[in-house]
Amino acid sequence: MISRRIFVLGGTACGLGGLAYGSTVYAQSAYPNRVVRIVVANPPGGDDDTLSRFISEAIASDLGRPLIVENRGGAATTIGAMAVSLAAPDGYTLLCLHSAALVQTVLRESLKYSLKSFTPIIKIGGYPMALVVPAASKIATIEDVKAIATKSDGIAYASAGAGTMAHLTAIRFLKAIGGHGLHVTYKNNPEGMQSLVGGYTQMMFPSAREAANLRGEGLLRVLAVTSSERTNNLPDVPTMRELGFPDINSQLWYSYAAPAGTPPAVVSRLAEAIRKAVQSQSFRDRFQPLSFQTDIRTGDDLNQFLASEAARWKEVVVDNNIRFTD
């Protein structure tokens, strides 16, 4: 059995002595006895939504109960995450906790929840990001980007808001090439991509999946990917490492979490069900061609990963004086 200490990030056990034992026995014998809800803190259609819908269908037979995906978008994932943090710690309300949601916990000082508000269950992997420019642009190489970004006006780049992975990755990249830029924010990634295609901005860092789709339609040019190796869907595109920027290695990763204090037996059962779904042939057939890179982590390994990511992006936020005011 996976211990509560392993899974509650910085938290404390929710029961003592016989109380903890009784709750564990109850969870083992009765869970689940009703519908399980996965909250996706973004509108429908995004990577977190697509992955969660596949997983909810895949693990329903394993758990013996249906799962539903509830989209609670808004305020850069914080509305959905807040709702889950306040839910009962019984395993019936889960959160798709991903890289963008984690960054919000280090960006927004006014949040009424933190990573300690959740019990991490499992990380499943993620998509590398891609540096893209409009297909109609004269920008064809990293050197072309540098030539614009080092001018006095800099380069205009799009993202879905302050603290998103697209924003922070662009900042790290511009610093690496000695350039600067104008950050233009949009409500979501699709709007940012539309602005890029229309020529209103000059650069963006979407997922490699999104980049490949729009390149296939002749709308974008992809200059680099942030993975350690070239991706399945963009095999002709070099990595940032190949181009001399090994530290530009962002990933849009995805994990699942429950409210802090969820019984360890429930966490263990959910982790195992999700692990089997992600390692299934049907998952690989659907998502690997899109550049999804499986990386399963649980327990201490997952806790250490989340802590490392939080520290990594907090450093970027602090060093670049990125502020968010509600």
Side-chain angles (χ1 to χ4, degrees):
M1 183 185 301
I2 301 173
S3 74
R4 190 188 314 267
R5 180 183 61 81
I6 290 176
F7 276 100
V8 179
L9 199 69
T12 57
C14 287
L16 296 174
L19 178 59
Y21 174 78
S23 65
T24 299
V25 170
Y26 174 81
Q28 288 174 324
S29 61
Y31 180 84
N33 57 23
R34 53 188 168 88
V35 173
V36 177
R37 178 175 55 135
I38 299 178
V39 174
V40 171
N42 277 312
D47 290 326
D48 49 356
D49 182 65
T50 303
L51 288 162
S52 295
R53 290 184 187 280
F54 179 96
I55 287 172
S56 68
E57 293 177 7
I59 69 174
S61 59
D62 191 334
L63 296 181
R65 295 285 175 176
L67 288 87
I68 61 171
V69 173
E70 179 181 330
N71 295 92
R72 299 197 64 171
T77 75
T78 59
I79 291 177
M82 182 68 180
V84 175
S85 75
L86 296 174
D90 54 11
Y92 291 97
T93 304
L94 312 180
L95 173 69
C96 181
L97 174 64
H98 49 72
S99 47
L102 176 139
V103 169
Q104 295 305 312
T105 66
V106 301
L107 174 65
R108 302 189 186 211
E109 296 181 356
S110 61
L111 281 184
K112 296 181 180 179
Y113 67 87
S114 68
L115 275 180
K116 295 180 181 180
S117 304
F118 303 101
T119 300
I121 298 170
I122 187 170
K123 179 196 175 193
I124 63 172
Y127 292 101
M129 305 182 78
L131 170 57
V132 300
V133 298
S137 170
K138 294 182 179 179
I139 302 173
T141 66
I142 293 286
E143 288 302 315
D144 293 337
V145 174
K146 183 176 180 179
I148 297 173
T150 52
K151 290 181 179 179
S152 58
D153 292 337
I155 192 167
Y157 63 96
S159 88
T164 59
M165 295 303 291
H167 176 211
L168 299 185
T169 302
I171 285 177
R172 293 187 76 208
F173 171 69
L174 289 172
K175 180 169 286 189
I177 63 174
H180 63 281
L182 172 66
H183 181 209
V184 185
T185 64
Y186 295 88
K187 291 181 180 178
N188 50 51
N189 255 23
E191 283 193 11
M193 301 282 272
Q194 289 173 10
S195 83
L196 188 70
V197 170
Y200 297 104
T201 51
Q202 299 164 286
M203 178 185 90
M204 190 173 176
F205 277 91
S207 73
R209 181 194 65 79
E210 295 170 305
N213 287 345
L214 290 183
R215 187 179 81 156
E217 297 175 17
L219 300 175
L220 292 181
R221 183 175 297 126
V222 186
L223 304 185
V225 292
T226 62
S227 49
S228 57
E229 298 179 354
R230 297 194 182 198
T231 63
N232 295 334
N233 60 348
L234 295 166
D236 58 319
V237 176
T239 67
M240 281 289 183
R241 181 182 297 275
E242 289 177 68
L243 296 173
F245 303 99
D247 291 335
I248 310 301
N249 56 0
S250 306
Q251 185 191 55
L252 295 166
W253 53 261
Y254 300 90
S255 71
Y256 290 90
T262 299
V266 172
V267 171
S268 181
R269 186 166 184 191
L270 287 166
E272 180 60 15
I274 295 172
R275 181 193 65 77
K276 288 193 289 187
V278 173
Q279 291 180 334
S280 69
Q281 189 61 50
S282 57
F283 184 94
R284 291 194 292 267
D285 290 344
R286 180 168 179 181
F287 293 104
Q288 283 187 354
L290 304 177
S291 77
F292 187 87
Q293 299 169 338
T294 301
D295 179 24
I296 294 177
R297 297 173 187 254
T298 58
D300 279 334
D301 188 25
L302 175 55
N303 282 345
Q304 290 167 10
F305 170 80
L306 293 174
S308 174
E309 282 288 282
R312 173 191 186 190
W313 294 113
K314 183 173 183 177
E315 182 179 358
V316 175
V317 167
V318 172
D319 287 352
N320 293 278
N321 196 32
I322 301 171
R323 298 181 181 276
F324 187 94
T325 304
D326 290 316

